Amino acid sequence: SGWLAICFAFSLPLERIIQRTIGYGLQSVSADGACLFLGNIFDNVHCNGIRILINHQDVLVDLPCSGARALILILLFYSACMSICRPGLAKGIAGFGITLLSGLLVNVLRITFLATGIAYPNYFMGIDVMQAPWHDLSGLLFLGIGCLPVIYWALLVYQPNPLQEISNETKERRVENQ
């Protein structure tokens, strides 16, 4: 029931709170991570704070690109999975860490993808990755990728209630006897 209460807490304006409190930190982590990935892939990458210069194109990791919304959605998905799985405290904390790491990493990958699309549009068959619907679809795709570790974690900690199974078997026997 505690996990379900956490799910309902996501109806609060948490995205704005996160953007205003740790948004710049999220921007910096995302930009630094994307610079690290891009620097290993391409030669002409220069980073300055939340600005990435790649192939003479300036990419700015602004506040909406900080990953706050994706992090909130992945955490909501995590709390929904945990309300079903009902792990203990230690497993819940470990899963929370995995979820945070997944949310940050998936945002770094999304920014890397978008920066590559901005700097090298011919890699994407001329598709402008910053225009609708491509920008939104890429965000949705990376959000789904970010949920994969949470799904894996939920499958690891899920243990069906044996008392519930006994109760279901008892009900089936009663139906058969009638």
Side-chain angles (χ1 to χ4, degrees):
S1 63
W3 289 108
L4 196 54
I6 292 172
C7 284
F8 284 109
F10 282 94
S11 63
L12 298 171
L14 296 178
E15 181 185 353
R16 287 186 182 203
I17 293 169
I18 286 179
Q19 280 184 347
R20 287 180 174 43
T21 55
I22 61 170
Y24 185 74
L26 288 173
Q27 281 176 284
S28 296
V29 167
S30 297
D32 291 343
C35 281
L36 182 66
F37 274 115
L38 290 167
N40 287 323
I41 299 170
F42 303 108
D43 292 331
N44 53 353
V45 177
H46 303 285
C47 303
N48 185 15
I50 58 173
R51 287 189 161 315
I52 303 169
L53 185 65
I54 177 172
N55 194 28
H56 305 293
Q57 296 290 324
D58 191 19
V59 178
L60 174 66
V61 181
D62 57 357
L63 194 56
C65 283
S66 68
R69 178 173 293 156
L71 189 59
I72 289 293
L73 291 173
I74 291 174
L75 285 170
L76 171 60
F77 182 70
Y78 166 74
S79 63
C81 288
M82 293 304 103
S83 66
I84 295 169
C85 297
R86 297 181 179 205
L89 182 63
K91 289 181 180 179
I93 291 171
F96 180 74
I98 289 170
T99 304
L100 282 178
L101 187 62
S102 176
L104 293 173
L105 183 61
V106 79
N107 194 53
V108 167
L109 293 174
R110 183 182 66 85
I111 291 172
T112 302
F113 171 80
L114 293 174
T116 303
I118 291 169
Y120 300 100
N122 55 341
Y123 288 179
F124 298 93
M125 297 173 283
I127 293 174
D128 186 356
V129 294
M130 296 304 290
Q131 295 296 318
W134 308 112
H135 188 75
D136 298 335
L137 288 174
S138 68
L140 189 60
L141 174 71
F142 283 101
L143 184 63
I145 292 169
C147 288
L148 291 177
V150 178
I151 292 169
Y152 181 71
W153 178 256
L155 291 173
L156 286 178
V157 299
Y158 179 66
Q159 295 176 353
N161 186 352
L163 296 176
Q164 182 67 30
E165 289 178 13
I166 292 171
S167 175
N168 288 340
E169 289 175 9
T170 305
K171 288 178 187 176
E172 289 173 6
R173 286 185 196 144
R174 286 181 187 163
V175 170
E176 288 174 0
N177 292 334
Q178 291 179 356

